[in-house]
Amino acid sequence: MPALELKNLRLSFGGLAAVKDVSLALHAGELVGLIGPNGAGKTTLFNLVSGVYKPDAGDIVFRGESLVGMRPHVIALRGVTRTFQNIRLFRSMTVLDNVKTARHHHARSGSLAAMLRTRSSRREDEEIGRDAMELLELVGLSDRADALPSELPYGRQRRLEIARALAGAPEVLLLDEPAAGMNRSEVAGLSALILRLQRERELSILLIEHQMDVVMNICKRIYVLDFGEVIAHGAPEEIQNNPNVIEAYLGKGGRA
């Protein structure tokens, strides 16, 4: 059984079909790329999986359970988290508190226990703090725990978003253009981090990325969207030489 399976998803905005009968599967511990020209429907697909949109038809299955109709925070609690194309950090909170806030959604103590600062609540808060620092260490930000997100370079803000997405201990991680705006050195470091997350944490990762060298170097399988439809699926070398993919990116007569 796939960790995440999309079955014949459809979504229209007015008369415009944004997603047309899209089916894909992400297996446990797998790193899969999702590419396509601007406006192909990639982020819309992530919005469907994360509960921002509800599909007109089709199904989204995680661990054998349909996610359709669930609210975004419920889907995150189930084990599917994401980052966003546009960075969405809490600007007035420290780097550490950004991660702790995401982790608090999974706290066992109730709000009353937190307000009363019971022993169990204090113990859990300490545990959350340790977990958050471990995640910052993982993404290379433990030295900036007390900084504000605005004090971080853009590439490190991207890493903070990943740490926050990991705070919920997901099984499936959706990464929406994590390398956007990064320089070559930052992109290389990010690629290594994504591979480390997949291997060490056994995460199932679906990656949207426009930097083709990232996708081609770290993904074993790739889906290609164009105008809301899957036009190709296969290994990187197959995708690079697929005439439908070349046409989608370069137009007729283009070369790989």
Side-chain angles (χ1 to χ4, degrees):
M1 181 185 299
L4 180 70
E5 188 173 13
L6 313 187
K7 300 180 179 180
N8 302 112
L9 284 186
R10 298 183 193 175
L11 179 68
S12 295
F13 297 109
L16 176 65
V19 174
K20 309 173 187 175
D21 290 312
V22 169
S23 295
L24 66 80
L26 176 66
H27 297 282
E30 192 177 25
L31 172 53
V32 172
L34 181 62
I35 67 173
N38 287 327
K42 303 181 298 296
T43 295
T44 300
L45 207 61
F46 271 23
N47 286 336
L48 285 167
V49 175
S50 59
V52 177
Y53 300 145
K54 183 177 179 180
D56 298 328
D59 204 359
I60 303 162
V61 180
F62 170 63
R63 294 192 306 183
E65 178 183 21
S66 177
L67 300 180
V68 173
M70 291 185 186
R71 297 178 65 84
H73 74 278
V74 175
I75 291 173
L77 288 171
R78 285 285 195 281
V80 180
T81 62
R82 67 174 294 185
T83 64
F84 291 86
Q85 195 172 16
N86 301 313
I87 294 175
R88 300 185 182 185
L89 299 170
F90 299 115
R91 301 291 173 179
S92 61
M93 292 183 177
T94 65
V95 166
L96 178 61
D97 284 341
N98 263 270
V99 181
K100 286 177 66 176
T101 298
R103 181 68 180 81
H104 270 294
H105 287 297
H106 296 259
R108 297 180 298 274
S109 300
S111 55
L112 179 60
M115 286 189 293
L116 296 175
R117 297 293 294 162
T118 62
R119 181 180 299 178
S120 63
S121 173
R122 292 196 305 271
R123 188 164 53 244
E124 186 170 36
D125 196 52
E126 291 171 0
E127 181 184 324
I128 287 172
R130 287 194 300 271
D131 290 346
M133 280 302 298
E134 286 179 9
L135 288 173
L136 290 180
E137 179 74 33
L138 177 66
V139 301
L141 291 175
S142 57
D143 61 328
R144 303 306 307 275
D146 295 325
L148 293 175
S150 59
E151 297 170 354
L152 301 179
Y154 188 81
R156 301 194 89 187
Q157 291 183 37
R158 287 280 182 190
R159 285 175 171 257
L160 177 55
E161 264 224 320
I162 292 173
R164 194 173 62 176
L166 293 172
E171 294 181 34
V172 171
L173 179 62
L174 310 176
L175 297 176
D176 194 348
E177 294 192 40
M182 289 187 176
N183 60 39
R184 182 170 296 181
S185 174
E186 290 172 329
V187 168
L190 177 73
S191 297
L193 173 62
I194 293 172
L195 283 172
R196 184 181 176 191
L197 294 177
Q198 180 212 4
R199 292 168 181 167
E200 293 183 8
R201 295 193 163 236
E202 299 181 346
L203 279 172
S204 305
I205 301 173
L206 187 59
L207 169 69
I208 292 176
E209 189 49 68
H210 278 294
Q211 299 212 33
M212 289 299 102
D213 55 339
V214 175
V215 179
M216 297 298 170
N217 287 333
I218 69 175
C219 295
K220 299 297 184 185
R221 291 193 299 121
I222 299 169
Y223 288 88
V224 187
L225 283 185
D226 192 29
F227 293 108
E229 295 181 275
V230 175
I231 61 168
H233 165 232
E237 57 272 17
E238 296 176 80
I239 296 301
Q240 286 176 316
N241 295 292
N242 187 298
N244 292 331
V245 177
I246 295 169
E247 183 178 332
Y249 275 95
L250 302 175
K252 287 190 176 181
R255 294 184 177 181

